[in-house]
């Protein structure tokens, strides 16, 4: 009897030691999207996008879009960066049909943690796929956590002025999910320390007040760049191409270039929320073109 087909089996947890810290990337979910162009390069001819896809051996139309929160255990505190999609699809299917169900909480167990163990939830920015897992059925998913938001990001969504049409529902979600958490939240600015070894970095553009986070322990350095680049080919190799989900297109381009330069020059490890799982890599620069180098065994030694 021939063996039966077993279907896909892909890992969803990647945990590694980082100095004194332990870091885990957890695949909340992923979705296959159509339209590499004009999700990326809407300010470019379609052929340019297809050419870059061919050169990198990826499909010209469909692309995988994963959602990967990061957990840092500093030895004193357990810090979760972003919460994935949570129950958004179940609760708002009509309006958010493109989002998959979030699996962060059940996969936390595979990483060795419970939702109650999370001390701090840091939100890089308030787009649905980053805040969706904060609550489930109106109740906080992480009952013992305090929250960290960027003050500019939180104020932007709370004020609700000059929000582009495509983000109107995002604003409703923010008011439902994030605003009620204000009294359990800490509000920070770029450059502020979250806990010892974790500092925020200005990454505004994709969202008006987005922040990246610099993690350092015993000389090892990693940048959680959130949605600075949301595709490992198009956004990294062509940072000047517009990305449809960037809220401020020009600022996003400037921020991508600055953060890519920082990651390449300082030889940082990078954790990217939408990079291919496990979402950890480095940025290489050659002939003024950046490339995403997925991590191999560097963090296992
Ligand atoms: Zn995102």
């Amino acid at each position: 009897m021939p063996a039966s087909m077993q279907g896909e089996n892909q890992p969803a947890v990647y945990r590694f030691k980082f100095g004194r810290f332990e870091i885990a990337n957890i695949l909340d979910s992923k979705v296959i999207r159509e339209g590499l162009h004009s999700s990326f390069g809407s300010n470019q001819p379609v052929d340019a996008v297809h050419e870059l896809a061919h050169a990198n051996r990826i499909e010209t139309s469909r692309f995988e879009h994963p959602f990967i929160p990061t957990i840092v255990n500093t030895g004193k505190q357990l810090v979760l960066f972003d919460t994935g999609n949570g129950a958004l699809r179940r609760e708002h299917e009509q309006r958010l049909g493109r989002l998959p169900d979030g699996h962060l909480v059940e996969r936390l167990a595979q990483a060795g943690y419970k939702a109650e163990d999370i001390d701090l939830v840091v939100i890089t920015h308030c787009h649905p796929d980053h805040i969706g897992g904060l609550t489930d059925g109106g109740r906080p998913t992480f009952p013992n956590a305090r929250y960290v938001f960027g003050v500019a990001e939180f104020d932007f969504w709370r004020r609700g002025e000059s929000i582009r049409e495509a983000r109107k529902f995002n604003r409703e979600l923010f008011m439902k999910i994030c605003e009620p958490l204000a009294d359990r939240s800490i509000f920070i600015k770029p450059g502020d320390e979250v806990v010892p070894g974790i500092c925020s970095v200005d990454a505004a553009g994709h969202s008006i007040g987005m922040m990246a986070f610099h993690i350092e322990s015993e000389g090892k350095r990693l940048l959680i760049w959130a949605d600075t680049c949301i595709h490992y080919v198009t956004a990294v190799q062509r940072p000047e191409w517009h990305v449809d989900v960037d809220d401020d297109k020009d600022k996003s381009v400037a921020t991508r270039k600055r953060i890519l330069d920082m990651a390449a020059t300082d030889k940082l490890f990078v954790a990217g929320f939408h990079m291919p799982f496990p979402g950890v890599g480095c940025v290489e620069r050659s002939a003024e073109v950046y490339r995403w180098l997925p991590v191999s065994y560097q963090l296992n030694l």
Side-chain angles (χ1 to χ4, degrees):
M1 273 257 296
S4 59
M5 302 295 177
Q6 302 298 319
E8 290 182 2
N9 181 1
Q10 299 179 356
V13 173
Y14 178 59
R15 192 179 56 215
F16 53 93
K17 194 171 176 306
F18 201 72
R20 285 178 194 278
F21 294 176
E22 205 166 70
I23 300 179
N25 265 13
I26 298 181
L27 183 68
D28 173 73
S29 42
K30 59 180 186 174
V31 68
I32 306 297
R33 292 213 167 138
E34 297 283 341
L36 192 63
H37 182 276
S38 58
S39 299
F40 303 92
S42 59
N43 57 341
Q44 301 294 320
V46 62
D47 286 353
V49 177
H50 288 181
E51 200 178 302
L52 189 68
H54 283 306
N56 285 275
R57 314 292 189 269
I58 56 174
E59 286 192 23
T60 53
S61 184
R62 296 187 309 163
F63 62 100
E64 184 180 86
H65 189 62
F67 305 86
I68 310 174
T70 296
I71 295 185
V72 178
N73 186 350
T74 69
K76 293 203 171 81
Q77 284 183 295
L78 195 58
V79 186
L80 169 67
F81 293 84
D82 292 331
T83 64
N85 291 298
L88 285 184
R89 199 188 62 79
R90 287 202 305 281
E91 294 177 3
H92 304 280
E93 177 135 32
Q94 250 94 64
R95 301 174 79 176
L96 281 174
R98 296 205 305 169
L99 293 182
D101 284 325
H103 298 284
L104 173 63
V105 173
E106 68 207 61
R107 290 175 182 172
L108 270 181
Q110 289 179 42
Y113 306 119
K114 297 191 292 293
E116 299 81 51
D117 298 336
I118 305 287
D119 297 302
L120 269 182
V121 180
V122 178
I123 298 296
T124 62
H125 65 297
C126 296
H127 287 171
D129 50 321
H130 300 257
I131 63 171
L134 276 169
T135 56
D136 190 345
R139 283 202 306 280
T141 307
F142 307 100
N144 300 317
R146 298 182 74 84
Y147 308 94
V148 176
F149 290 94
V151 66
E153 179 75 1
F154 201 89
D155 282 355
F156 170 77
W157 292 103
R158 182 152 58 181
R159 275 201 318 277
E161 291 161 13
S162 56
I163 289 183
R164 65 188 182 117
E165 194 57 38
R167 292 287 181 203
K168 292 270 161 73
F169 184 57
N170 194 154
R171 205 262 169 169
E172 285 178 42
L173 284 177
F174 170 86
M175 293 306 285
K176 184 175 158 208
I177 296 172
C178 301
E179 211 276 336
L181 303 175
D183 61 350
R184 287 188 56 78
S185 299
I186 301 154
F187 297 98
I188 63 169
K189 296 188 300 299
D192 285 353
E193 182 181 83
V194 178
V195 296
I198 303 180
C199 263
S200 62
V201 175
D202 176 25
H206 171 72
S207 182
I208 297 309
M210 188 169 82
M211 290 191 304
F213 290 87
H214 182 269
I215 315 291
E216 182 162 8
S217 179
E218 295 189 321
K220 302 196 85 157
R221 301 168 65 197
L222 175 141
L223 185 71
I224 295 176
W225 77 13
D227 286 14
T228 299
C229 293
I230 66 164
H231 189 284
Y232 83 103
V233 170
T234 54
V236 174
Q237 295 182 22
R238 299 289 185 271
E240 69 279 12
W241 285 7
H242 284 183
V243 176
D244 66 345
V245 291
D246 284 348
D247 288 341
D248 182 333
K249 304 280 189 280
D250 292 335
K251 194 159 195 182
S252 295
V253 168
T255 295
R256 258 194 297 284
K257 289 180 172 174
R258 174 170 51 83
I259 299 265
L260 284 164
D261 177 67
M262 180 197 304
T265 304
D266 295 351
K267 299 186 168 56
L268 303 176
F269 287 101
V270 173
F273 194 81
H274 298 294
M275 294 296 102
F277 193 80
V280 185
C282 298
V283 174
E284 172 207 41
R285 175 175 39 211
S286 58
E288 291 314 301
V289 175
Y290 297 107
R291 263 172 225 286
W292 175 256
L293 291 182
V295 74
S296 60
Y297 59 68
Q298 299 95 322
L299 297 166
N300 303 342
L301 299 179

